[in-house]
Amino acid sequence: MKMLLMVEFPHEPFNALVRSGKVGEIMNRVLETIKPEAAYFTEHDGMRSGIFLIDIEDPSEIPGYAEPFFLNFQANCKFRVVMSPLELQNAGLEELGKAWA
């Protein structure tokens, strides 16, 4: 199942990791561990943030994606299920619309 993992990094300890020169090493280790299909870094509500496209087979895998961010950055993690256009076409929206009209 494709998911977006949205991570919000608090200013601390991230600032301290930047100052010490360790942030790149830690972030690379996390990314090598979670192996996202895509990774983007941005700002969200004034905070450093990351958006990662991941593929999980079982919900029990979620801690393996979140804990590296929790433990290294005290980050907030949000998971959202996403669909491709083909998956949306296969969702049966027309039938659902008729059933609930």
Side-chain angles (χ1 to χ4, degrees):
M1 173 179 3
K2 301 275 188 211
M3 298 189 83
L4 281 183
L5 166 54
M6 295 168 291
V7 180
E8 185 177 273
F9 302 97
H11 297 303
E12 290 301 337
F14 205 96
N15 286 346
L17 292 169
V18 170
R19 287 186 195 104
S20 70
K22 294 180 182 178
V23 73
E25 173 189 332
I26 294 169
M27 188 64 72
N28 285 336
R29 185 171 168 226
V30 171
L31 293 176
E32 288 172 6
T33 299
I34 70 169
K35 295 178 179 51
E37 292 181 23
Y40 299 95
F41 295 90
T42 187
E43 171 278 334
H44 184 257
D45 292 334
M47 302 289 287
R48 294 177 181 100
S49 299
I51 301 169
F52 308 97
L53 180 62
I54 60 174
D55 194 9
I56 68 166
E57 293 181 22
D58 188 273
S60 66
E61 296 174 41
I62 290 174
Y65 288 94
E67 290 299 332
F69 293 109
F70 292 158
L71 296 172
N72 287 288
F73 303 107
Q74 298 178 16
N76 295 319
C77 296
K78 297 177 184 175
F79 293 83
R80 297 261 167 86
V81 175
V82 295
M83 290 185 284
S84 69
L86 180 59
E87 290 167 329
L88 182 60
Q89 285 179 338
N90 293 334
L93 291 177
E94 293 81 11
E95 292 80 18
L96 288 168
K98 290 175 188 173
W100 292 95

